[in-house]
């Protein structure tokens, strides 16, 4: 599908009970104006559930219409197939608890900012995972996450958001009997495994911001598998949880990881399969991947399709440097609030200020070129800070983990400079990039010294 196929209409479907009262009173005028100002005829419908949204897609759209969905991951999951079958284009507006799909698209948590980033972005085609013929975009899990789904307290979820998932998973971890599974992943031998959990991921995030690996994308043509063995004890399980929170389980000795696009899982008992927050099937399971089948409007920060004047090169890498540096500064500020060590507090406090000053100047220098295209959302990091605080109750080495996580982020940021030569940039941009690269190197050295001292 191409931009030329668009009809110029946006059907805006919002989950009635998840929008603020003012939007119900004024017809979500602020949100509707985003699409109207971009030149789209916009029709708003408040819906009580995904079934009502599906009916709207079937009866009130034609191929080429944009369907802007305001809901959570479960809502998005329910609408994948209707979107594909109708020839419409999905635009996601985060109004759920976890919003992992929106995060994987690099959308801000604020729905108005998300609408602005998406409608001014690009049309792209995403992969879809399927299990027993049922679709998912983020992840599907067997074991602890599926068992935990039925334990989540709706009132607790309403007040604590993603923390409710952690509590339910903690209960399932201690009470659920491990599963005996036969797992066959394309390209690998059949394995008989006794597991607490097996998760197949398509998106970058799942479970309220957990990341099985840093470089996973919704359009990379791969499914990733990670599993936790039955003999992993509680402390080691928390270690895996921390690895997921801080970026990747690929280097963990406590988790199994595989990568393929076709997976068979056999089991003597019909255990439930959780996908994007909802139970959608039971074992045995056959996982497949359909490539580039879900049309979505996504920010240019996700697609990398950045249009800027010819006198500045490497615009996509330059944009990533600006946005990821701000993301790092926010994360350091969040880490400062919960760090126990005065040394780590000092590193985070002093250097986040340095980063903020450089980023502010860099953004001013990039503004004439239309960069950066979006900003990280501080609410996401507030939630991560709360989760980190919860982990601090059971992990006595949280400071070391946070330092390692920050170091990993800096490594990824410095790697971006390899695709973005500094010397050929306009002078103001060049000067700020030099300062930023040096600041990152200084922070990395300070974190490495802290990590070495704290670990001995």
């Amino acid at each position: 599908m191409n931009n030329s196929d668009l009809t110029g209409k946006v059907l805006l479907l919002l989950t009635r009970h998840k929008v603020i009262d003012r939007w119900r009173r004024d017809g979500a005028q602020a949100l509707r104006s985003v699409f109207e100002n971009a030149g789209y005829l916009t029709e708003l419908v408040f819906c009580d559930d995904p079934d009502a949204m599906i009916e709207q897609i079937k009866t009130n759209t034609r191929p080429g219409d944009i369907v802007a969905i305001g809901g959570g991951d479960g809502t998005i999951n329910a609408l994948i197939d209707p979107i594909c079958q109708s020839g419409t284009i999905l635009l996601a507006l985060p109004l759920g608890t976890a919003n992992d799909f929106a995060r994987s698209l690099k959308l801000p948590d604020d729905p108005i900012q998300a609408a602005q980033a998406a409608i001014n972005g690009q049309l792209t085609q995403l992969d879809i995972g399927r299990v027993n013929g049922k679709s998912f975009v983020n992840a599907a899990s067997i074991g602890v996450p599926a068992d935990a789904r039925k334990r989540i307290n709706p009132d607790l979820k309403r007040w604590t958001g993603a923390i409710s998932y952690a509590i339910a998973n903690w209960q399932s971890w201690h009470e659920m009997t491990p599963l005996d599974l036969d797992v066959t992943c394309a390209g690998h031998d059949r394995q008989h495994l006794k597991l607490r959990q097996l998760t197949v991921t398509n998106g970058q995030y799942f479970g309220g911001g957990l990341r099985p690996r840093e470089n996973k994308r919704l359009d990379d043509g791969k499914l990733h598998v990670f599993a936790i063995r039955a003999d992993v004890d509680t402390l080691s399980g928390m270690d895996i949880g921390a690895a997921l929170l801080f970026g990747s389980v690929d280097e963990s000795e406590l988790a199994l990881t595989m990568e393929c696009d076709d997976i068979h899982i056999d089991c003597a008992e019909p255990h439930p399969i959780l996908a994007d927050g909802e139970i959608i099937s039971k074992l045995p399971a056959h996982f497949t991947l359909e490539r580039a089948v879900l049309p979505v409007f996504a920010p240019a920060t996700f697609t990398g399709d950045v249009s800027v004047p010819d006198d500045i090169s490497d615009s996509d890498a330059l944009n990533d440097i600006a946005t990821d540096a701000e993301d790092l500064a926010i994360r350091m500020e969040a880490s400062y609030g919960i760090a126990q060590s005065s040394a780590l507090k000092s590193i985070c406090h002093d250097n986040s200020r340095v980063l903020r000053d450089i980023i502010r100047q860099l953004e001013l220098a990039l503004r004439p070129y239309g960069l950066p295209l979006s900003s990280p959302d501080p609410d996401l990091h507030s939630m991560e800070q709360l989760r980190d605080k919860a982990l601090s109750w059971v992990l006595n080495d949280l400071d070391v983990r946070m330092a390692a996580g920050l170091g990993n982020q800096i490594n990824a940021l410095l790697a971006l400079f390899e695709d973005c030569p500094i010397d050929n940039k306009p002078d103001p941009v060049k000067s700020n990039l030099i300062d930023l690269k040096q600041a990152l190197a200084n922070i990395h050295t300070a974190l490495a010294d802290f990590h070495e001292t704290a670990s001995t």
Side-chain angles (χ1 to χ4, degrees):
M1 182 175 290
N2 301 311
N3 285 352
S4 59
D5 298 321
L6 299 177
T7 63
K9 173 184 173 180
V10 171
L11 177 61
L12 177 56
L13 304 178
L14 300 180
T15 306
R16 189 189 309 274
H17 65 276
K18 291 190 175 182
V19 301
I20 57 178
D21 291 339
R22 176 167 52 82
W23 283 11
R24 286 193 289 268
R25 292 194 302 268
D26 68 6
Q29 183 58 52
L31 184 58
R32 213 168 54 239
S33 295
V34 172
F35 302 116
E36 292 170 347
N37 292 340
Y40 290 89
L41 176 67
T42 304
E43 180 180 347
L44 167 66
V45 180
F46 289 110
C47 299
D48 292 321
D49 52 43
D51 287 339
M53 292 182 174
I54 292 172
E55 184 64 23
Q56 283 291 323
I57 293 171
K58 289 180 177 179
T59 62
N60 197 16
T61 65
R62 60 191 177 99
D65 287 350
I66 297 172
V67 182
I69 303 296
D73 292 323
T75 301
I76 297 295
N77 177 280
L79 300 178
I80 295 171
D81 291 335
I83 291 285
C84 292
Q85 293 161 5
S86 65
T88 56
I89 300 96
L90 172 65
L91 190 153
L93 301 173
L95 287 176
T97 302
N99 299 319
D100 287 317
F101 179 70
R103 285 186 201 148
S104 290
L105 286 177
K106 300 186 182 299
L107 286 167
D109 274 3
D110 179 81
I112 291 180
Q113 294 179 10
Q116 292 170 333
I119 202 65
N120 294 303
Q122 300 293 328
L123 179 61
T124 188
Q125 301 284 127
L126 304 184
D127 303 334
I128 291 177
R130 297 198 188 277
V131 53
N132 296 343
K134 302 292 184 64
S135 303
F136 66 94
V137 286
N138 293 316
S141 294
I142 302 158
V144 168
D147 180 76
R149 176 64 180 84
K150 65 177 182 282
R151 299 173 185 263
I152 293 176
N153 183 306
D155 293 330
L156 183 64
K157 179 180 177 181
R158 190 176 302 113
W159 286 103
T160 66
I163 298 299
S164 62
Y165 292 101
I167 295 172
N169 275 274
W170 178 267
Q171 293 173 327
S172 291
W173 179 274
H174 286 90
E175 299 174 15
M176 183 182 174
T177 302
L179 308 182
D180 283 302
L181 304 176
D182 289 311
V183 180
T184 306
C185 189
H188 300 268
D189 294 334
R190 181 185 180 94
Q191 301 181 69
H192 179 75
L193 302 170
K194 192 161 187 173
L195 303 174
R196 290 182 179 268
Q197 170 181 345
L198 183 144
T199 296
V200 179
T201 64
N202 177 48
Q204 184 178 13
Y205 294 97
F206 79 100
L210 299 178
R211 301 180 291 266
R213 61 188 305 152
E214 287 288 358
N215 60 349
K216 186 72 182 85
R217 286 179 58 90
L218 287 159
D219 58 358
D220 65 3
K222 301 172 184 176
L223 290 174
H224 292 269
V225 182
F226 81 91
I228 303 175
R229 296 184 185 276
D231 57 359
V232 172
D233 58 26
T234 299
L235 184 59
S236 297
M238 293 303 300
D239 190 272
I240 294 173
L244 288 168
L245 178 63
F246 293 119
S248 175
V249 295
D250 283 350
E251 298 179 1
S252 173
E253 297 178 354
L254 304 171
L256 299 172
T257 60
M258 292 177 282
E259 183 177 277
C260 55
D261 59 7
D262 192 281
I263 307 154
H264 287 268
I265 300 176
D266 295 311
C267 183
E269 299 181 32
H271 292 282
I273 301 171
L274 178 77
D276 298 337
E278 303 295 332
I279 301 295
I280 65 169
S281 190
K282 295 180 179 180
L283 290 176
H286 180 205
F287 290 88
T288 57
L289 184 74
E290 292 194 34
R291 302 184 182 186
V293 295
L294 178 62
V296 173
F297 253 98
T301 46
F302 176 81
T303 63
D305 192 355
V306 183
S307 177
V308 295
D310 293 335
D311 56 350
I312 189 166
S313 60
D314 313 307
S315 54
D316 51 350
L318 192 54
N319 183 79
D320 288 345
I321 287 173
T323 54
D324 289 0
E326 185 174 358
D327 182 272
L328 174 65
I330 294 173
R331 181 74 200 204
M332 292 183 71
E333 290 164 356
S335 299
Y336 166 78
I338 59 173
Q340 300 297 311
S341 163
S342 60
L344 183 58
K345 278 184 173 292
S346 177
I347 292 172
C348 292
H349 177 269
D350 296 344
N351 289 288
S352 63
R353 288 189 173 185
V354 171
L355 280 181
R356 285 288 197 183
D357 290 341
I358 297 172
I359 293 165
R360 190 176 299 112
Q361 295 303 314
L362 177 61
E363 288 182 343
L364 288 174
L366 291 173
R367 187 171 297 173
Y369 308 101
L371 301 173
L373 295 172
S374 66
S375 298
D377 182 56
D379 289 343
L380 169 62
H381 296 277
S382 297
M383 186 178 71
E384 289 183 340
Q385 180 181 8
L386 184 57
R387 281 210 310 271
D388 290 350
K389 187 65 175 178
L391 280 174
S392 70
W393 298 337
V394 292
L395 293 174
N396 57 14
D397 62 344
L398 186 65
D399 281 3
V400 173
R401 294 180 186 276
M402 288 194 297
L406 291 170
N408 290 337
Q409 282 187 269
I410 292 173
N411 283 334
L413 241 173
L414 288 172
L416 291 174
F417 281 89
E418 297 176 7
D419 299 321
C420 186
I422 295 176
D423 291 341
N424 63 353
K425 300 296 182 292
D427 287 342
V429 176
K430 176 180 177 180
S431 174
N432 285 293
L433 286 176
I434 291 172
D435 290 345
L436 177 59
K437 189 174 183 180
Q438 184 60 56
L440 292 172
N442 293 341
I443 299 170
H444 191 274
T445 298
L447 288 170
D449 291 343
F450 168 79
H451 191 278
E452 182 178 355
T453 302
S455 300
T456 57

